[in-house]
Amino acid sequence: MRIDLLNDTLKQQERRAVKLFLFLFYLINISYDAFYYYLFPLFIQDPKFGFENSLVGWGEYFVQLLLLFTAFFLLKRNEPQKIKYIFFIVYTLTTIVGELIVYSNSEVEYTSGNIVELFLVLFSPIFINKTFCWVVSGGTVLKYLLVGLVLQNPEVLLPILLVLCLTVVAFILLNRFEGYVRAIGQSYSSQLEGIVRGVIAALELKDPYTRGHSERVAQYASLFARHLESFSEEELKSFYYACLLHDVGKVHIPDEILMKPSNLTNEEYEIIKEHPVVGADAIKDIEGLEDCIDVIRYHHERWDGKGYPDRLQGEEIPLLARITSIADAFDAMTTHRSYRPALPLDVAYQRILQGKGTQFDPQLVEIFVKVYPSWVAHYYAQTKMNIE
């Protein structure tokens, strides 16, 4: 399943953060070098200012130019999350090599630290990524330790202490940013769930015999999907919404067909079979619900290719739609409908097994046997709750 709308939005924010990062990185780097190596030596004649090794300096500029082209390439490929790591790692390695070359065989006193490194440490929280913050702070400290050991210079202890202090500030900022993102995510999720439940409530007013059906199918299918241990919490949440909406297309079906107490005619059944397509079309343009389309459209497809609406067969049917198909059939059989009473749980269980390889994915039926006890527990918990 695709990442949901909130994560897509965060990815766009990552692109903006990367572009700001690039602008400030080159602005600060060029300004620092221009002042430290070109302007300041015009007024103060001191050997510690200026390029001690011009080849090293121009080499660093060449590397930074290559980094800029790399950043443009990754932005074009929509992979902005890699840029910050590449920039920091390459920049740190080039400064280590440059400082060791310049100061290893030089009488000039080692001067450690520059404003670019301070910028990297303090700016790292804007990506809202703890891993990157640890890479920047840890990598910068390791850089000074390595240079200090090679050059046998204890002065590196001062920039290490400064980096550690700035790291504390950076993580305080990061925690605040993460708090804002969590709050926005929870608000977004609550609003989306409210919309979904509102739609389901409207559907159940139209068809009282299916009241609670969507919720139960969502619970059964979620228990099944969680058992597979193949989905993230975000994917499970999106799948839950999809199951809640799997029958939303039934709003299109006339009441006299939907609640008919006797068997449907062939013409009426053809109208019923339209609801997966109607439902998928109804939510396809709603931001945040795009992941629901496959479940809504394909939950009535069959493993043997005799389902509807597209007569998909086997693994052509999306996995989550195959899971929903089992959950939908089980709940339909174990609840009262206008045309028949509820079937006992053991009868529904056997019918699912009988559908192995025909209506249902045979491998998923094997897993159904394992998750069935949790479904039974949920069934009785819901029954007890309804009685109370």
Side-chain angles (χ1 to χ4, degrees):
M1 297 179 69
R2 291 172 41 225
I3 298 175
D4 68 0
L5 178 63
L6 179 60
N7 287 338
D8 289 339
T9 302
L10 289 177
K11 193 168 185 178
Q12 291 301 318
Q13 292 301 321
E14 173 92 0
R15 291 179 63 88
R16 296 188 181 99
V18 164
K19 291 177 181 179
L20 179 60
F21 171 83
L22 293 175
F23 173 76
L24 291 177
F25 176 86
Y26 283 101
L27 177 65
I28 293 173
N29 196 39
I30 293 172
S31 300
Y32 173 79
D33 285 356
F35 176 80
Y36 191 83
Y37 294 124
Y38 299 108
L39 296 179
F40 212 71
L42 295 177
F43 303 98
I44 298 179
Q45 298 297 320
D46 192 312
K48 69 179 182 179
F49 296 106
F51 275 128
E52 295 88 348
N53 189 316
S54 59
L55 182 61
V56 170
W58 289 112
E60 290 179 354
Y61 287 150
F62 177 74
V63 170
Q64 291 171 20
L65 181 62
L66 290 179
L67 282 175
L68 188 59
F69 284 115
T70 301
F72 288 148
F73 173 75
L74 291 174
L75 283 173
K76 189 174 181 179
R77 291 189 57 178
N78 199 28
E79 298 178 356
Q81 67 278 4
K82 297 180 181 179
I83 295 174
K84 55 184 178 290
Y85 289 104
I86 293 174
F87 258 74
F88 172 74
I89 293 171
V90 173
Y91 175 80
T92 301
L93 290 176
T94 54
T95 55
I96 289 174
V97 173
E99 289 180 2
L100 292 179
I101 291 175
V102 170
Y103 294 106
S104 291
N105 299 308
S106 174
E107 297 180 356
V108 177
E109 182 182 357
Y110 173 68
T111 54
S112 59
N114 62 63
I115 195 172
V116 177
E117 292 169 342
L118 301 183
F119 156 74
L120 288 171
V121 175
L122 283 176
F123 201 75
S124 59
I126 71 160
F127 294 103
I128 317 179
N129 187 316
K130 283 186 178 179
T131 300
F132 180 64
C133 287
W134 281 118
V135 168
V136 170
S137 57
T140 305
V141 169
L142 288 175
K143 173 239 176 179
Y144 284 116
L145 288 174
L146 177 61
V147 173
L149 288 173
V150 174
L151 299 180
Q152 297 293 306
N153 192 324
E155 289 188 7
V156 297
L157 294 176
L158 181 60
I160 288 175
L161 181 61
L162 179 59
V163 168
L164 293 176
C165 293
L166 292 178
T167 297
V168 173
V169 175
F171 272 89
I172 291 174
L173 294 174
L174 176 61
N175 286 331
R176 294 298 299 165
F177 292 156
E178 286 182 331
Y180 292 139
V181 171
R182 282 194 298 270
I184 293 172
Q186 291 169 359
S187 175
Y188 167 80
S189 182
S190 297
Q191 291 177 11
L192 184 59
E193 185 173 354
I195 292 171
V196 171
R197 292 191 181 279
V199 172
I200 298 308
L203 175 61
E204 291 179 346
L205 286 174
K206 177 182 176 65
D207 182 10
Y209 288 100
T210 61
R211 184 162 298 154
H213 169 69
S214 298
E215 181 72 39
R216 290 189 299 271
V217 169
Q219 292 289 348
Y220 290 143
S222 295
L223 289 170
F224 198 115
R226 191 175 294 277
H227 181 82
L228 296 178
E229 297 182 347
S230 301
F231 305 101
S232 67
E233 287 299 319
E234 198 62 50
E235 288 171 328
L236 289 171
K237 183 185 296 184
S238 182
F239 180 42
Y240 182 81
Y241 291 154
C243 292
L244 287 177
L245 290 168
H246 75 282
D247 274 343
V248 67
K250 286 185 176 180
V251 297
H252 170 74
I253 301 172
D255 291 349
E256 59 270 19
I257 297 177
L258 195 61
M259 293 182 287
K260 186 177 180 179
S262 57
N263 292 333
L264 299 174
T265 65
N266 290 335
E267 293 76 13
E268 291 169 336
Y269 185 54
E270 289 301 317
I271 294 175
I272 287 284
K273 288 165 64 176
E274 294 176 0
H275 80 270
V277 175
V278 173
D281 288 343
I283 62 97
K284 66 180 181 181
D285 295 324
I286 301 178
E287 292 184 337
L289 296 180
E290 301 93 335
D291 291 343
C292 303
I293 293 175
D294 283 353
V295 169
I296 294 172
R297 184 178 181 94
Y298 302 122
H299 71 278
H300 279 297
E301 297 288 356
R302 290 172 52 109
W303 184 258
D304 58 11
K306 297 179 181 179
Y308 61 89
D310 298 322
R311 300 183 69 84
L312 300 183
Q313 184 175 5
E315 294 187 357
E316 292 176 347
I317 308 168
L319 172 61
L320 294 178
R322 283 179 265 153
I323 294 173
T324 308
S325 175
I326 297 175
D328 184 42
F330 181 82
D331 186 71
M333 288 187 285
T334 55
T335 52
H336 294 283
R337 294 301 174 96
S338 59
Y339 49 88
R340 59 146 179 84
L343 299 178
L345 293 183
D346 57 342
V347 174
Y349 175 79
Q350 291 299 326
R351 290 194 179 183
I352 296 293
L353 298 187
Q354 292 167 8
K356 179 180 179 180
T358 53
Q359 184 174 353
F360 307 117
D361 180 340
Q363 292 185 349
L364 293 185
V365 172
E366 294 293 333
I367 298 172
F368 164 75
V369 173
K370 299 177 182 179
V371 301
Y372 176 69
S374 65
W375 284 20
V376 173
H378 178 74
Y379 173 86
Y380 285 117
Q382 289 294 114
T383 302
K384 181 179 179 181
M385 187 182 302
N386 292 336
I387 292 175
E388 293 175 350

